[in-house]
Amino acid sequence: MGHSHHPHTHPHDHDHDHHAGPSDVPPALDLSVPDSELSPADVSRRGLLRGAGLLGAGVAAGSVLAQPSPAHAHGDGGQREAKGGFHWLAGDHHIHTQYSSDAMYRVVDQARHARANGLDWMVVTDHGSVAHAKIGVEKVNPDIRAAREQLKDLLIYQGLEWNIPAAEHATVFVAPGRNEVAVLKEFENAYDGSVVGAGDPTPANEALAIAGIRFLGEAVRKRRIDGALFLANHPARRGIDSPHEVRGWRDADPSVAIGMEGAPGHQAAGLPRATAGRARGYYDNNPSAASFPGYPLESYRTWGGFDWMTATVGGLWDSLLAEGKPWWISANSDSHVNYLDTAQRGPGGDFNTDGRYPDPVYGPLLTEAGDYWPGQYSRTHVGAGSFSYRAVMDGLRAGRVWVDHGGLISGLDVRARVAGDRRRDSGTPLGGVLRVKRGTSVELTIDVDLAGTPNWSQFVPVLARVDVIAGLVTGPVADRDTFTAPTAKVVKSFEVGKGTGRVSFTYALGRVDEPCYLRVRGTDGNRSAPGLMGAGVDPSGPAMDVIGAADPWLDLWFYGNPIWVLPS
């Protein structure tokens, strides 16, 4: 694990380096650092963790139970206006181009639309495949670099959509640099389930997925690239991302494997249309032989446009959070072919030979397409220290993220605070850990900037309700296929009652004696139903989307990442 705490020159044979940033593993947890090199405080901390059995791979590493201090460092300026100490930069980490076998747009087409729709960053994630690994991963790079030059106010990362061995897809992307192509190419050729024929759900293939994530972490630690991130895409779509695999990816390297799509792309797919409709997000699958047998049938559908793993209060996401595992959510377009666009693939060419399709040309209106342009409907907002590639990746890794559909809100600041502390920049933001003395009174403050301008469908969304969800932190589970969290539930709902400007709410936790976490979500109130765990857990959660009858603009939600409160 990389660390940056002690510039030393002693001879030693461990291969850790010393360049990494502030989001890296704390020195007390970094077992590549000998006790003799730690500060007295870190020696003490490591001793406490060791005595409590919390030191070791997959236990303490990356857990909020062992993080050193509240993660509430604030921004340091930049081009964008800062709110709450951060530059909130909207983005999309799942976008396809003509270098994917089932897409067609040029990189610059996607980039221009992303910028026009208000995005600050985007990731090109063409499908991993034999043709992409051999040709496309190199050929797309000049197009990405040209788009970076043309649109200097948009950060454009190169990545790929990884066929995870034994599982679904994932976004993998790296920081720009001289080795971005080389690292992605090596990764794809060695670890892509499609390229190496490792799609079946076998233990060997699951191990290959773990090895792939570790390869990315090693590439960062060896300074070949400045950063690499992994987010599982549409994780519940086919039921083949089992709970133990999700835990395995995260624990393989929490600095790389940071989360999953809370909401998949393809949100236009559920629109009613003259032909037989599809499901929102193309979530219209059923269990197969490769599926995890414990998942219920309801998990194969979206709920209010969100993946079942995120949408179910007391479900898999809460199960990870109750363990103290930072595991974040995102929302994106998965743009391949966009609804109501007028384009089609250009004539000629051969994808398998060329690694790409010819440039698109003018074509008929695409009324059957299921995707939106980047930023047109789904956005992932990252609290970054500045407008830079590194800062966005750091913000994602820190979990300073909220997501929305349809421009439901324009800003969100959530903080856990010692009760009564209203200083502007105090408190612990999304993704952070507030450590307090046992018995301290704590409260959650929620400031929401309501939507003030029409969205792409020409109406100003109206936020109806904000829910606070809380659960106890109960530590590592004995069964790594656990996907429920019995203590998680909606603990408070705030009716908004205002159409413009800012609304603020405070949820008082009272005196805190047990470790817990809190997260928030909001809705336009158009569609709700009791959650899968019962009305006592979630009385008015998102309703399961109906195949062929799910207008995404009439069912808008936002979600925020959690904040932990740990008394001691």
Side-chain angles (χ1 to χ4, degrees), residues 88 260-264 267 280 301-318 321 327-332 377-383 396 399-414 430-431 444 446-448 463 465-470 490 517-525 527-532 538 540-545 555-563:
W88 288 95
M260 61 187 178
E261 284 183 351
Q267 290 281 331
R280 199 170 172 180
R301 302 289 180 268
T302 54
W303 295 70
F306 277 72
D307 185 282
W308 168 85
M309 291 186 185
T310 292
T312 303
V313 174
L316 191 141
W317 190 28
D318 285 309
L321 303 181
W327 187 249
W328 317 126
I329 63 162
S330 63
N332 49 64
Y377 182 74
S378 301
R379 299 177 298 173
T380 294
H381 306 259
V382 181
L396 286 167
R400 288 192 299 270
V401 170
W402 60 273
V403 305
D404 79 292
H405 277 164
L408 176 58
I409 59 175
S410 62
L412 178 68
D413 187 57
V414 182
L430 296 174
L444 191 75
I446 307 163
D447 297 309
V448 184
L463 180 68
R465 194 181 79 241
V466 175
D467 297 324
V468 178
I469 297 158
V490 175
Y517 68 89
L518 303 105
R519 59 184 180 89
V520 299
R521 73 178 181 201
T523 175
D524 61 6
R527 291 184 77 244
S528 288
L532 272 178
D538 188 6
S540 299
M544 187 165 70
D545 292 310
D555 186 16
L556 304 178
W557 294 77
F558 79 79
Y559 283 72
N561 269 318
I563 302 172

Side-chain angles (χ1 to χ4, degrees), residues 32-69:
S32 69
V33 182
D35 287 3
S36 60
E37 294 184 16
L38 295 174
S39 68
D42 282 330
V43 169
S44 173
R45 181 168 194 78
R46 180 178 285 183
L48 286 171
L49 292 168
R50 190 175 274 139
L54 288 173
L55 197 63
V59 180
S63 166
V64 300
L65 300 173
Q67 286 181 358
S69 59

Side-chain angles (χ1 to χ4, degrees), residues 494-566:
F494 297 101
E495 302 297 325
V496 175
K498 184 180 177 184
T500 60
R502 168 175 282 200
V503 291
S504 298
F505 307 104
T506 300
Y507 171 68
L509 283 71
R511 296 184 182 279
V512 176
D513 293 317
E514 297 180 282
C516 63
Y517 68 89
L518 303 105
R519 59 184 180 89
V520 299
R521 73 178 181 201
T523 175
D524 61 6
N526 288 337
R527 291 184 77 244
S528 288
L532 272 178
M533 302 298 178
V537 171
D538 188 6
S540 299
M544 187 165 70
D545 292 310
V546 178
I547 293 177
D551 185 336
W553 299 96
L554 299 179
D555 186 16
L556 304 178
W557 294 77
F558 79 79
Y559 283 72
N561 269 318
I563 302 172
W564 284 269
V565 179
L566 303 182

Side-chain angles (χ1 to χ4, degrees), residues 2-288:
H3 53 97
S4 58
H5 54 285
H6 62 152
H8 60 273
T9 57
H10 65 280
H12 53 69
D13 59 4
H14 52 278
D15 61 357
H16 64 278
D17 59 62
H18 304 262
H19 73 290
S23 58
D24 278 353
V25 173
L29 294 181
D30 187 347
L31 296 180
S32 69
V33 182
D35 287 3
S36 60
E37 294 184 16
L38 295 174
S39 68
D42 282 330
V43 169
S44 173
R45 181 168 194 78
R46 180 178 285 183
L48 286 171
L49 292 168
R50 190 175 274 139
L54 288 173
L55 197 63
V59 180
S63 166
V64 300
L65 300 173
Q67 286 181 358
S69 59
H72 57 185
H74 289 173
D76 57 359
Q79 300 172 17
R80 267 64 172 176
E81 178 187 3
K83 287 184 178 179
F86 299 108
H87 300 267
W88 288 95
L89 305 179
D92 184 328
H93 70 71
H94 190 172
I95 298 167
H96 295 268
T97 75
Q98 63 195 139
Y99 295 89
S100 286
S101 61
D102 54 358
M104 66 175 178
Y105 300 110
R106 288 167 293 210
V107 170
V108 74
D109 297 332
Q110 295 285 25
R112 288 171 58 198
H113 281 86
R115 194 69 198 101
N117 287 322
L119 296 191
D120 303 288
W121 59 274
M122 59 173 273
V123 186
V124 174
T125 52
D126 290 306
H127 286 290
S129 68
V130 172
H132 185 262
K134 184 178 179 182
I135 308 169
V137 70
E138 287 177 330
K139 273 196 170 182
V140 73
N141 185 261
D143 292 1
I144 290 174
R145 287 190 283 115
R148 287 172 182 159
E149 286 298 311
Q150 186 174 336
L151 297 164
K152 292 185 183 299
D153 57 352
L154 178 70
L155 304 170
I156 308 174
Y157 298 88
Q158 183 169 354
L160 78 154
E161 184 161 23
W162 182 30
N163 297 294
I164 310 172
E168 260 282 5
H169 297 167
T171 286
V172 164
F173 68 103
V174 301
R178 60 186 171 88
N179 290 322
E180 62 185 322
V181 171
V183 169
L184 287 171
K185 196 174 180 73
E186 288 171 36
F187 172 78
E188 188 174 356
N189 276 303
Y191 301 106
D192 186 274
S194 175
V195 174
V196 302
D200 292 339
T202 65
N205 290 341
E206 291 184 7
L208 186 65
I210 299 294
I213 291 169
R214 288 178 174 156
F215 166 86
L216 293 169
E218 281 300 303
V220 176
R221 283 184 281 279
K222 291 178 179 175
R223 302 191 188 189
R224 299 187 65 203
I225 47 177
D226 282 341
L229 293 176
F230 159 104
L231 292 121
N233 293 341
H234 34 73
R237 184 179 64 169
R238 296 168 55 206
I240 61 174
D241 288 1
S242 63
H244 74 265
E245 287 176 283
V246 174
R247 287 183 168 91
W249 305 330
R250 198 216 74 101
D251 292 346
D253 192 330
S255 72
V256 173
I258 60 168
M260 61 187 178
E261 284 183 351
H266 308 310
Q267 290 281 331
L271 281 165
R273 45 192 101 203
T275 57
R278 294 288 303 272
R280 199 170 172 180
Y282 292 135
Y283 272 49
D284 47 15
N285 295 284
N286 294 299
S288 71

